[in-house]
Amino acid sequence: MTVPPITEKLLAAKKAAGLSFADLEAKVGCDEVWIASVFYRQASASVEEATKIIEALGADPSLIEVLTECPVKGGLDPVIPTDPLIYRFYEIMQVYGMPIKAVVHEKFGDGIMSAIDFTLDIEKEEDPKGDRVKVIMNGKFLPYKKW
Amino acid sequence: MTVPPITEKLLAAKKAAGLSFADLEAKVGCDEVWIASVFYRQASASVEEATKIIEALGADPSLIEVLTECPVKGGLDPVIPTDPLIYRFYEIMQVYGMPIKAVVHEKFGDGIMSAIDFTLDIEKEEDPKGDRVKVIMNGKFLPYKKW
Amino acid sequence: MTVPPITEKLLAAKKAAGLSFADLEAKVGCDEVWIASVFYRQASASVEEATKIIEALGADPSLIEVLTECPVKGGLDPVIPTDPLIYRFYEIMQVYGMPIKAVVHEKFGDGIMSAIDFTLDIEKEEDPKGDRVKVIMNGKFLPYKKW
Amino acid sequence: MTVPPITEKLLAAKKAAGLSFADLEAKVGCDEVWIASVFYRQASASVEEATKIIEALGADPSLIEVLTECPVKGGLDPVIPTDPLIYRFYEIMQVYGMPIKAVVHEKFGDGIMSAIDFTLDIEKEEDPKGDRVKVIMNGKFLPYKKW
Amino acid sequence: MTVPPITEKLLAAKKAAGLSFADLEAKVGCDEVWIASVFYRQASASVEEATKIIEALGADPSLIEVLTECPVKGGLDPVIPTDPLIYRFYEIMQVYGMPIKAVVHEKFGDGIMSAIDFTLDIEKEEDPKGDRVKVIMNGKFLPYKKW
Amino acid sequence: MTVPPITEKLLAAKKAAGLSFADLEAKVGCDEVWIASVFYRQASASVEEATKIIEALGADPSLIEVLTECPVKGGLDPVIPTDPLIYRFYEIMQVYGMPIKAVVHEKFGDGIMSAIDFTLDIEKEEDPKGDRVKVIMNGKFLPYKKW
Amino acid sequence: MTVPPITEKLLAAKKAAGLSFADLEAKVGCDEVWIASVFYRQASASVEEATKIIEALGADPSLIEVLTECPVKGGLDPVIPTDPLIYRFYEIMQVYGMPIKAVVHEKFGDGIMSAIDFTLDIEKEEDPKGDRVKVIMNGKFLPYKKW
Amino acid sequence: MTVPPITEKLLAAKKAAGLSFADLEAKVGCDEVWIASVFYRQASASVEEATKIIEALGADPSLIEVLTECPVKGGLDPVIPTDPLIYRFYEIMQVYGMPIKAVVHEKFGDGIMSAIDFTLDIEKEEDPKGDRVKVIMNGKFLPYKKW
Amino acid sequence: MTVPPITEKLLAAKKAAGLSFADLEAKVGCDEVWIASVFYRQASASVEEATKIIEALGADPSLIEVLTECPVKGGLDPVIPTDPLIYRFYEIMQVYGMPIKAVVHEKFGDGIMSAIDFTLDIEKEEDPKGDRVKVIMNGKFLPYKKW
Amino acid sequence: MTVPPITEKLLAAKKAAGLSFADLEAKVGCDEVWIASVFYRQASASVEEATKIIEALGADPSLIEVLTECPVKGGLDPVIPTDPLIYRFYEIMQVYGMPIKAVVHEKFGDGIMSAIDFTLDIEKEEDPKGDRVKVIMNGKFLPYKKW
């Protein structure tokens, strides 16, 4: 993913301000993952949200408007990402895709988990044998419409 | 994904027995998603686990041994899956891959979430505006070794 | 697309019965495109719907159950379909994708048109200069959730 | 899709003028989707049409000529688009491609829906359960010539 | 391209009858290339045309009906064909695609040459320096509709 | 296809001179399609031919030498072109590739139509039902050598 | 490359007869590589050549006719072959493709080496430091035609 | 293949000096194809070889060092090259790959022809029916090691 | 990777005999990885080696000859393997490919590590924090030949 | 792989300092392959490690911070690398992937070799018949978790 110029500016401002995404969550009142999505132009913000983010960063207010535009989303450069952290999600889909499909259909019927009416949280679970990453996806079930 | 013959046999036995994966979870003592992974030959079982699964299904005991073999994993037919339910996980990776990477590195340092020392749970969250699918991934953080 | 065996059986029964999809629409009370989707295993039917379809066709009742299972959807063989009729929809997406995106965002904000809470109708518009195909897609607008 | 420089200029002029595509439709007398296609260089305009568009935007008249040239069309960057809104049209083609083919052939015989002698409209259907996007495609049926 | 079973039957019948496609052209009253397209299930015939073809071949009349069905067209196995004769047409498109586009737009305006309202003839041009293959494509010009 | 800088210069000169490719054909004494191929750097010219083209355009004589160099040919950006006019040639190859192969082998034996010892003409066939594009390809038949 | 059934029969007959391709070259009077190409259905033989090959093998005479048919050529299964011996030719093209192009154009002008009016020989060059494989390709130079 | 800047400089110097690769072969004492490989950064030279090449060209001595670095090799832009001259080598591999494999294994046993301990020469064979390109590849046979 | 029938027979015989690859190494006197390569038809054996393997397995002696034939090697089904264990080697190449290249060139000059004159061993390194897999690759350095 | 600007700066500093990666290993106290990985932005360093590397190189201290950031890893430009040295690792995976899988599962059970808790060393093994490259990979075995 070639990061767009505005992302670089936001990351630089965040670094200069010495803030983590968790700090921004506290200041802006939105989840850190969603804020990171705004940084990477994968989500659009309202004027109020964008203003809060830019103010928290002490960044150039002219950036506010850009953050409110609907971005072209996605676009990891290779179709199958090569970064090991991101690839693991591809692997999870390859290995657990069909089992997930079977269980979701059994629990909910024919339909999908929305990736739009959707939230994603990342938690750190401390563990003496090695800390664990917890990713919680929460999407509305959308049943197939018949007509 | 062309399902292997043993998967078809297991699914048929499960249907004949009138059991859901949740029922199997109760009988076998393992998570329903993991059991579904065994069905689809994405996970291998111990002899004890395989025996419990086959007995719960009332299926042919000759299937036990196959379930204990280490399968060639993955293999959704198109590189980018076309089934809408499975595709959404590809989309989540495309849209939220970089934001997740940013937050995980910030919380944990350089490394990845393991997809091997890993569990995945699916919960149904009832909601008057439409039930929600909750997918909880939990993987050990593996820091990059330096040498 | 290699058509699954059940699709071949249904198409043969439909031919033997001398019925068009429009006739089935009249008999079953569902749209002809949706019924065709059931034939091609791209949509699942309820037991009642499946029974009506099978009875209208005079087909083997043992097929009813299969039609109620949640299918693995999609799967046109080449990633970019080569059949000219189907390809035109790929071309429409290539040529009009960005303009559609711009107009939808302007009218609705950031989000998508659901392909799940979605209907698709095909009408024949008679025209002395050559009849026209009218395809009406109707999908719920899903705004991106923020969290 | 990396948007060509002229598209960026037109979008900036439109923003500066505070006009929506619907406003342009009213001023220019052409459909908003078609006008958006001209913006994205997927359609060419006549001198008169281009002049009206440029005047409505209050943009640089030197842009008129460019809008009349026949563009190289298509070209979403990844072969399968990753933007969720645009991808849904790929998914619709994957899932409903064969059913559409079956119904069109039944209604019209062997041939295709033209994507050239073709219009596409987008309407907003208000709905208390959530507004709906209506996409109406209308293409001339072209029967296969025999010789 | 894996040739469908009916194509093999037709080719075998043609061989047994000792007929060339040119002979079939004379007997059936349609062009040899079009008849070959019917053999390869790339074109559908009317009942009358199919009957004439089958009778000329002395083939099984039960094949007539299949020839009247609208086939799924295209489908050379590799996306870029490896057979040298067929590949040359890919090469011609790669090398002369943009020049053809420039000349057609100059002569006709914005639009395309139809591949549906289209004929294709192959002639042998005798030449002492080596005979030449002449391929004549003739397609209706379709101007882009504006709306 | 990202057009090389020299192509842009030549097209600009042609526009400034108000010449069509057909006009250049008259002035240079070579076919308009071949001249367009020289413009797009898909064909190399002799010094005499390049000089005539540059003089007819009134362009910078320093461009002559570049036109005489053997270019790296081909290179439409996506492997399967998305421009609808160019794509139709891909579709023709997909749909008529095997029938052409069958007829050429029957008329000529095993071998190919050369795409090198090859000419391509485009004619406009006026027709009250809509003008037609005629593309005439003429390539030497090359029989496979045995050794 | 999935070898067609006739290739398997020919290879089995050759093994049963205890003949190498070099032995067949001596008996048939054609080069061993070309004969191997006939075995793999990459080249077609005349009736006389096919008869000699089949007789030399002591194989079933019914196979003669198949060998005279023009095959669909090429078709190594993965687009980039994985067999190390065959891959090296891909690597040679990747590494030496542009240098070869430069030298051929310098020696011959604009055009190509024919792969049709073409022979390929393989010789064993004995060398105390390790024997060497010598592959001699010999193709007619085809200059680009201008028109 | 986007040629690296140093290649452009070397080609320009060669042109300015009025030298062919064959002339360089005479002056430098290495084969013209290998020298062309050095130009295209597919081979590295020793300091002595690089010095001779640069001096023969009368080029900037600061280029010497670059020519001695081990380049990242290969990298024709499309995976299957579209330039017709280079493509023919892909076609030769597709068509003759399996026959070559069969003959090499028969003559040498299991192993490969090295593409590293390898030379490639291009000769012009004059022929009244059209000159011929002779490409002689010579690579050490490497038997598979067993362990 | 769809395993060939002979591989299945060998694996079944090995299971029936209750032997590990390490046991076979002890009986046959070749490395266990190389023996596994023979099982998967990625390496060919001499008659003596094949006989020892078949005898150790107590398998059908008619399999001996097949094991001596030079196989078509490679061929993991997806170009980028999806099995997690095998994928890690792809990831290692993606992440460490350039660093390895830099260090090998520095230590050895321009050339490659042979994958033919090559051995690969797998060792288990016991470790209280978790056992480790040690993969030792050993290939002859092949310097690029100049000519 | 297009090398990032910082890599070019580090390689230039290393050259100016006349240091090999082995020299850096001695000065920095980390393995040369790991240091090369830091150069190519495939590994992140701690502030201390980065400082040591920059000081050893005598490079600009402002580069220290960049080396501590978690990079987007991987990204060899073509999915299957064309550089012969790097490709051999792809070939090893294609040819030995399944045998490695079989032996690892036999020795360790179901799981993978970590590519994260992983080291890679390169040794030069002197050999009168030609020096050998020894690549030692050492990764923690990660057993699949069950839940």
Side-chain angles (χ1 to χ4, degrees):
Chain A
M1 177 179 248
T2 42
V3 158
I6 187 170
T7 303
E8 288 181 358
K9 283 185 202 158
L10 294 169
L11 290 171
K14 171 171 165 291
K15 191 171 213 167
L19 295 168
S20 68
F21 284 112
D23 295 334
L24 286 170
E25 178 174 323
K27 288 182 173 244
V28 175
C30 300
D31 189 87
E32 61 187 334
V33 177
W34 183 78
I35 294 172
S37 302
V38 172
F39 268 56
Y40 283 96
R41 297 292 293 130
Q42 300 297 319
S44 57
S46 67
V47 176
E48 295 69 37
E49 293 157 346
T51 305
K52 277 195 202 162
I53 292 171
I54 293 300
E55 285 179 353
L57 293 168
D60 179 353
S62 73
L63 299 178
I64 292 172
E65 189 174 12
V66 184
L67 296 187
T68 66
E69 288 166 9
C70 299
V72 177
K73 298 182 188 72
L76 296 174
D77 269 357
V79 160
I80 301 177
T82 54
D83 181 77
L85 186 145
I86 301 178
Y87 177 79
R88 293 307 180 273
F89 290 88
Y90 183 78
E91 183 170 307
I92 290 166
M93 180 193 73
Q94 276 281 347
V95 173
Y96 296 107
M98 285 296 285
I100 290 172
K101 184 175 165 70
V103 172
V104 169
H105 287 330
E106 201 164 274
K107 279 186 154 45
F108 294 86
D110 203 355
I112 66 159
M113 174 183 75
S114 180
I116 309 294
D117 185 340
F118 173 84
T119 64
L120 189 155
D121 291 278
I122 297 173
E123 295 175 6
K124 185 174 191 168
E125 204 177 83
E126 306 215 342
D127 187 320
K129 282 176 294 179
D131 292 347
R132 300 184 72 83
V133 184
K134 207 164 150 184
V135 176
I136 301 131
M137 299 174 174
N138 185 311
K140 192 179 182 186
F141 179 72
L142 303 179
Y144 263 99
K145 193 179 183 75
K146 294 164 180 184
W147 73 99
Chain B
M1 178 180 247
T2 44
V3 158
I6 186 170
T7 303
E8 288 181 0
K9 281 185 202 159
L10 294 170
L11 290 172
K14 172 171 164 291
K15 190 171 214 166
L19 296 168
S20 68
F21 284 112
D23 294 335
L24 285 169
E25 179 174 323
K27 289 183 173 243
V28 175
C30 299
D31 189 86
E32 62 188 332
V33 177
W34 183 78
I35 294 172
S37 302
V38 172
F39 269 56
Y40 284 96
R41 296 292 293 128
Q42 300 297 318
S44 57
S46 67
V47 176
E48 296 69 36
E49 293 157 345
T51 305
K52 276 196 202 162
I53 292 171
I54 293 299
E55 284 178 355
L57 293 168
D60 179 354
S62 72
L63 299 178
I64 292 172
E65 189 175 13
V66 185
L67 296 188
T68 66
E69 288 167 8
C70 299
V72 178
K73 298 182 188 73
L76 296 174
D77 268 357
V79 160
I80 302 177
T82 54
D83 181 77
L85 186 145
I86 300 178
Y87 177 79
R88 292 308 180 272
F89 290 89
Y90 183 79
E91 183 171 306
I92 289 166
M93 179 193 73
Q94 276 282 348
V95 173
Y96 296 107
M98 285 297 286
I100 290 172
K101 183 176 165 70
V103 172
V104 170
H105 287 330
E106 200 164 275
K107 279 185 155 45
F108 294 85
D110 203 356
I112 66 158
M113 175 183 76
S114 180
I116 308 295
D117 185 339
F118 173 84
T119 64
L120 189 155
D121 291 278
I122 297 173
E123 294 175 5
K124 185 175 191 166
E125 202 178 82
E126 306 216 340
D127 187 319
K129 282 177 292 180
D131 292 348
R132 300 184 73 82
V133 183
K134 207 165 152 184
V135 175
I136 300 132
M137 298 174 174
N138 184 312
K140 192 178 182 186
F141 178 72
L142 304 178
Y144 263 98
K145 193 181 184 75
K146 295 164 180 184
W147 73 99
Chain C
M1 178 179 248
T2 43
V3 158
I6 186 172
T7 303
E8 288 182 359
K9 282 186 202 157
L10 293 170
L11 290 172
K14 172 171 163 289
K15 190 170 212 166
L19 295 169
S20 68
F21 283 112
D23 294 335
L24 285 169
E25 178 174 322
K27 287 181 174 247
V28 174
C30 298
D31 188 86
E32 61 187 334
V33 177
W34 183 77
I35 294 172
S37 302
V38 173
F39 269 56
Y40 284 96
R41 297 292 293 129
Q42 299 297 320
S44 57
S46 66
V47 176
E48 296 69 37
E49 292 157 346
T51 307
K52 275 195 204 163
I53 291 171
I54 293 299
E55 284 179 355
L57 293 168
D60 179 353
S62 73
L63 300 177
I64 291 173
E65 189 176 11
V66 184
L67 297 187
T68 66
E69 288 167 8
C70 300
V72 177
K73 298 181 188 72
L76 296 173
D77 267 357
V79 159
I80 301 178
T82 54
D83 181 77
L85 187 145
I86 300 177
Y87 177 79
R88 293 308 180 272
F89 290 89
Y90 183 79
E91 183 171 307
I92 290 166
M93 180 193 72
Q94 276 282 347
V95 173
Y96 296 108
M98 286 296 285
I100 290 171
K101 182 175 166 69
V103 172
V104 169
H105 286 330
E106 200 165 275
K107 279 185 154 46
F108 294 86
D110 203 357
I112 65 157
M113 175 183 76
S114 180
I116 309 295
D117 185 339
F118 173 83
T119 64
L120 189 156
D121 291 278
I122 297 172
E123 296 175 6
K124 185 175 192 167
E125 202 178 85
E126 305 215 341
D127 186 320
K129 281 178 292 180
D131 292 347
R132 299 184 73 82
V133 183
K134 208 164 150 185
V135 175
I136 300 133
M137 299 174 174
N138 185 311
K140 192 178 181 186
F141 179 72
L142 304 178
Y144 263 98
K145 192 180 184 76
K146 295 164 180 184
W147 72 100
Chain D
M1 177 180 249
T2 42
V3 159
I6 187 170
T7 302
E8 288 181 359
K9 284 185 200 159
L10 294 170
L11 291 172
K14 171 171 164 291
K15 191 172 213 166
L19 296 168
S20 68
F21 284 113
D23 294 334
L24 284 170
E25 178 173 324
K27 287 183 174 244
V28 175
C30 299
D31 188 86
E32 62 187 335
V33 177
W34 183 78
I35 293 171
S37 302
V38 172
F39 269 56
Y40 284 95
R41 298 291 294 130
Q42 299 297 320
S44 58
S46 67
V47 177
E48 295 69 36
E49 292 157 345
T51 305
K52 276 194 203 165
I53 291 171
I54 293 299
E55 285 179 354
L57 292 168
D60 180 353
S62 72
L63 298 177
I64 292 173
E65 189 176 11
V66 184
L67 297 188
T68 66
E69 288 167 9
C70 300
V72 177
K73 298 182 188 72
L76 296 174
D77 268 358
V79 159
I80 300 178
T82 54
D83 181 78
L85 186 146
I86 300 178
Y87 177 78
R88 293 307 180 272
F89 290 88
Y90 183 79
E91 183 170 306
I92 290 166
M93 179 193 74
Q94 277 281 348
V95 173
Y96 297 107
M98 285 296 285
I100 290 172
K101 183 175 165 71
V103 171
V104 169
H105 287 330
E106 201 165 275
K107 279 185 154 47
F108 293 86
D110 202 356
I112 66 159
M113 175 182 76
S114 180
I116 309 293
D117 185 341
F118 173 83
T119 64
L120 188 156
D121 291 278
I122 298 173
E123 295 175 5
K124 185 175 192 168
E125 204 178 83
E126 306 214 342
D127 186 320
K129 281 177 292 179
D131 293 347
R132 299 184 72 82
V133 184
K134 207 165 151 185
V135 175
I136 301 131
M137 299 174 174
N138 185 311
K140 191 179 182 185
F141 178 73
L142 303 179
Y144 264 99
K145 192 179 184 76
K146 295 164 179 182
W147 72 98
Chain E
M1 178 179 248
T2 42
V3 158
I6 186 171
T7 303
E8 287 182 358
K9 283 186 201 156
L10 293 170
L11 290 172
K14 172 170 163 292
K15 190 171 213 167
L19 295 168
S20 68
F21 283 113
D23 294 334
L24 285 170
E25 178 174 323
K27 286 182 175 246
V28 175
C30 298
D31 188 87
E32 61 187 334
V33 177
W34 183 77
I35 294 172
S37 302
V38 173
F39 269 56
Y40 283 94
R41 295 294 292 131
Q42 299 297 319
S44 58
S46 66
V47 177
E48 295 70 37
E49 292 158 346
T51 307
K52 275 194 202 163
I53 291 172
I54 293 300
E55 285 179 353
L57 293 169
D60 179 351
S62 72
L63 300 177
I64 291 173
E65 190 175 10
V66 184
L67 297 188
T68 66
E69 287 167 8
C70 300
V72 177
K73 297 181 188 74
L76 296 173
D77 268 357
V79 160
I80 301 179
T82 53
D83 181 78
L85 186 146
I86 300 178
Y87 176 79
R88 294 308 179 272
F89 290 89
Y90 183 79
E91 183 171 307
I92 290 166
M93 181 193 72
Q94 276 281 349
V95 174
Y96 296 108
M98 285 296 285
I100 289 171
K101 182 175 165 70
V103 172
V104 169
H105 286 330
E106 200 165 276
K107 280 185 154 46
F108 293 86
D110 202 356
I112 66 157
M113 175 182 77
S114 179
I116 308 294
D117 185 339
F118 173 82
T119 64
L120 189 157
D121 291 278
I122 297 173
E123 295 176 6
K124 185 174 192 169
E125 203 178 84
E126 306 215 341
D127 186 319
K129 282 177 293 180
D131 292 347
R132 299 185 73 82
V133 183
K134 208 165 151 184
V135 175
I136 300 133
M137 299 174 174
N138 184 311
K140 192 179 181 185
F141 179 72
L142 303 179
Y144 263 98
K145 193 180 184 76
K146 295 164 180 184
W147 71 99
Chain F
M1 177 180 249
T2 42
V3 158
I6 187 171
T7 303
E8 287 182 359
K9 284 185 201 158
L10 293 170
L11 290 172
K14 171 170 164 292
K15 191 171 213 166
L19 296 168
S20 67
F21 284 114
D23 294 335
L24 285 170
E25 177 173 324
K27 288 183 173 241
V28 175
C30 298
D31 188 86
E32 61 187 335
V33 177
W34 183 77
I35 294 171
S37 302
V38 172
F39 268 56
Y40 283 95
R41 297 293 291 132
Q42 299 297 320
S44 58
S46 66
V47 177
E48 295 70 35
E49 293 157 346
T51 307
K52 276 195 201 163
I53 292 172
I54 293 299
E55 285 179 353
L57 293 169
D60 179 352
S62 73
L63 300 177
I64 292 173
E65 190 175 12
V66 184
L67 297 188
T68 66
E69 288 167 8
C70 300
V72 178
K73 298 183 186 72
L76 296 173
D77 268 357
V79 160
I80 301 178
T82 53
D83 181 79
L85 187 146
I86 300 178
Y87 177 79
R88 294 306 179 273
F89 290 88
Y90 183 79
E91 183 170 308
I92 290 167
M93 179 193 74
Q94 277 281 348
V95 173
Y96 296 108
M98 284 296 284
I100 289 172
K101 184 175 165 70
V103 172
V104 169
H105 287 330
E106 200 165 276
K107 279 185 153 47
F108 293 86
D110 203 355
I112 66 158
M113 175 182 75
S114 180
I116 309 294
D117 185 342
F118 172 83
T119 64
L120 188 156
D121 291 278
I122 298 172
E123 296 175 6
K124 185 175 192 167
E125 203 178 83
E126 306 215 341
D127 185 320
K129 282 177 293 180
D131 292 346
R132 299 185 74 82
V133 183
K134 207 165 151 185
V135 175
I136 300 132
M137 298 173 175
N138 185 310
K140 192 178 181 186
F141 178 73
L142 303 179
Y144 263 99
K145 192 179 185 77
K146 295 164 180 183
W147 72 99
Chain G
M1 178 180 247
T2 43
V3 158
I6 186 170
T7 302
E8 288 182 358
K9 283 186 201 158
L10 293 171
L11 290 172
K14 171 170 164 291
K15 191 171 213 167
L19 295 168
S20 67
F21 283 114
D23 295 334
L24 285 170
E25 178 173 323
K27 287 183 173 244
V28 174
C30 298
D31 188 87
E32 61 187 333
V33 178
W34 183 77
I35 294 171
S37 303
V38 172
F39 268 57
Y40 284 94
R41 297 293 292 132
Q42 299 297 319
S44 57
S46 66
V47 177
E48 295 71 35
E49 293 157 346
T51 307
K52 276 193 203 164
I53 292 171
I54 293 300
E55 286 179 352
L57 294 168
D60 179 351
S62 73
L63 299 178
I64 292 173
E65 190 175 11
V66 184
L67 297 188
T68 66
E69 287 168 8
C70 299
V72 177
K73 298 181 187 73
L76 296 173
D77 268 357
V79 159
I80 300 179
T82 54
D83 181 78
L85 186 145
I86 300 178
Y87 176 79
R88 293 307 179 272
F89 290 89
Y90 183 78
E91 183 171 306
I92 290 166
M93 180 193 74
Q94 277 280 349
V95 173
Y96 296 108
M98 285 296 286
I100 289 172
K101 182 175 165 70
V103 172
V104 169
H105 286 330
E106 200 165 277
K107 279 185 155 47
F108 293 87
D110 203 357
I112 66 157
M113 175 183 76
S114 180
I116 308 295
D117 185 339
F118 173 83
T119 64
L120 189 156
D121 291 278
I122 297 173
E123 295 176 5
K124 185 175 191 167
E125 203 178 82
E126 306 214 341
D127 186 319
K129 282 177 293 180
D131 292 347
R132 299 185 72 82
V133 183
K134 207 165 152 185
V135 175
I136 300 133
M137 299 175 173
N138 184 312
K140 192 179 181 184
F141 179 72
L142 303 179
Y144 263 99
K145 193 181 184 76
K146 295 164 181 183
W147 71 99
Chain H
M1 177 179 249
T2 42
V3 158
I6 187 172
T7 303
E8 287 181 359
K9 283 185 202 158
L10 294 170
L11 290 172
K14 171 170 164 290
K15 192 171 210 167
L19 295 168
S20 67
F21 284 113
D23 295 334
L24 285 170
E25 177 173 324
K27 287 180 174 246
V28 175
C30 298
D31 188 87
E32 62 189 333
V33 177
W34 183 77
I35 295 172
S37 302
V38 172
F39 269 56
Y40 283 95
R41 296 292 293 130
Q42 299 298 320
S44 57
S46 66
V47 177
E48 296 69 37
E49 292 157 347
T51 306
K52 276 195 202 162
I53 292 171
I54 293 299
E55 285 178 355
L57 292 168
D60 179 353
S62 73
L63 300 177
I64 291 172
E65 189 176 11
V66 185
L67 297 188
T68 66
E69 288 167 8
C70 300
V72 177
K73 298 183 187 72
L76 296 173
D77 267 357
V79 160
I80 301 178
T82 53
D83 180 78
L85 186 146
I86 300 178
Y87 177 79
R88 292 310 179 271
F89 290 88
Y90 183 79
E91 183 171 307
I92 289 166
M93 180 193 72
Q94 277 282 348
V95 173
Y96 296 107
M98 285 296 284
I100 290 172
K101 184 175 164 71
V103 171
V104 169
H105 286 330
E106 201 165 275
K107 280 185 154 46
F108 294 86
D110 203 355
I112 66 157
M113 174 183 76
S114 180
I116 308 295
D117 185 340
F118 173 82
T119 64
L120 189 156
D121 291 278
I122 298 172
E123 296 174 5
K124 185 173 191 168
E125 201 178 85
E126 305 216 341
D127 185 320
K129 282 177 292 179
D131 292 347
R132 300 184 73 82
V133 183
K134 208 164 151 183
V135 175
I136 300 132
M137 299 174 173
N138 185 311
K140 192 179 181 186
F141 178 72
L142 304 178
Y144 263 99
K145 192 180 183 76
K146 295 164 180 185
W147 72 99
Chain I
M1 177 180 247
T2 43
V3 158
I6 186 170
T7 302
E8 289 181 358
K9 282 185 202 159
L10 294 170
L11 291 171
K14 171 171 165 291
K15 191 171 213 167
L19 295 168
S20 68
F21 283 113
D23 295 334
L24 285 170
E25 179 174 323
K27 290 185 172 240
V28 174
C30 299
D31 188 87
E32 62 188 333
V33 178
W34 183 78
I35 294 171
S37 302
V38 172
F39 268 57
Y40 283 95
R41 297 291 294 130
Q42 299 297 319
S44 56
S46 66
V47 177
E48 295 69 37
E49 293 158 345
T51 306
K52 277 194 202 161
I53 292 171
I54 293 299
E55 285 178 354
L57 293 168
D60 179 353
S62 73
L63 298 178
I64 292 173
E65 189 176 12
V66 184
L67 296 188
T68 67
E69 288 167 8
C70 299
V72 177
K73 298 182 187 72
L76 297 173
D77 267 357
V79 159
I80 301 178
T82 54
D83 181 78
L85 186 145
I86 300 179
Y87 177 79
R88 293 307 180 272
F89 290 89
Y90 183 79
E91 184 171 306
I92 289 166
M93 180 193 73
Q94 277 281 347
V95 173
Y96 296 108
M98 285 297 285
I100 290 172
K101 182 176 165 70
V103 172
V104 170
H105 287 329
E106 200 164 275
K107 279 185 154 45
F108 294 86
D110 203 356
I112 65 159
M113 174 183 77
S114 181
I116 308 295
D117 185 339
F118 172 84
T119 64
L120 189 156
D121 291 278
I122 297 173
E123 296 175 5
K124 185 175 192 166
E125 203 178 83
E126 306 216 340
D127 186 319
K129 282 177 292 181
D131 292 347
R132 300 184 72 82
V133 184
K134 207 164 151 185
V135 176
I136 300 132
M137 298 175 175
N138 185 311
K140 191 178 182 186
F141 178 73
L142 304 179
Y144 263 99
K145 193 180 183 74
K146 295 165 180 183
W147 72 98
Chain J
M1 178 179 247
T2 43
V3 158
I6 187 171
T7 303
E8 288 181 359
K9 282 185 203 158
L10 293 170
L11 290 172
K14 172 171 164 289
K15 191 171 213 167
L19 296 168
S20 67
F21 283 112
D23 295 334
L24 285 170
E25 178 173 322
K27 288 179 173 248
V28 175
C30 298
D31 188 87
E32 62 187 334
V33 176
W34 182 77
I35 294 172
S37 302
V38 173
F39 269 56
Y40 283 96
R41 297 291 294 128
Q42 299 298 320
S44 57
S46 66
V47 177
E48 295 69 36
E49 292 156 346
T51 306
K52 276 195 203 162
I53 291 172
I54 293 299
E55 285 178 355
L57 293 169
D60 179 353
S62 73
L63 299 178
I64 292 172
E65 189 175 11
V66 185
L67 297 187
T68 65
E69 288 167 8
C70 299
V72 177
K73 298 183 187 72
L76 296 173
D77 268 357
V79 159
I80 300 177
T82 53
D83 181 77
L85 187 145
I86 301 178
Y87 177 79
R88 293 309 180 272
F89 291 88
Y90 182 78
E91 183 171 306
I92 289 166
M93 180 193 73
Q94 276 282 348
V95 172
Y96 296 107
M98 285 296 285
I100 290 171
K101 184 176 164 70
V103 172
V104 169
H105 287 330
E106 201 164 275
K107 280 186 154 44
F108 293 86
D110 203 355
I112 65 158
M113 174 183 76
S114 180
I116 308 295
D117 185 339
F118 173 83
T119 64
L120 189 155
D121 291 278
I122 298 173
E123 295 174 5
K124 184 173 191 167
E125 202 178 83
E126 305 215 342
D127 186 319
K129 281 177 293 179
D131 292 347
R132 300 184 72 82
V133 184
K134 208 165 150 183
V135 176
I136 301 132
M137 299 174 174
N138 185 311
K140 192 179 181 186
F141 179 72
L142 303 178
Y144 263 99
K145 193 180 183 74
K146 295 164 179 184
W147 71 100

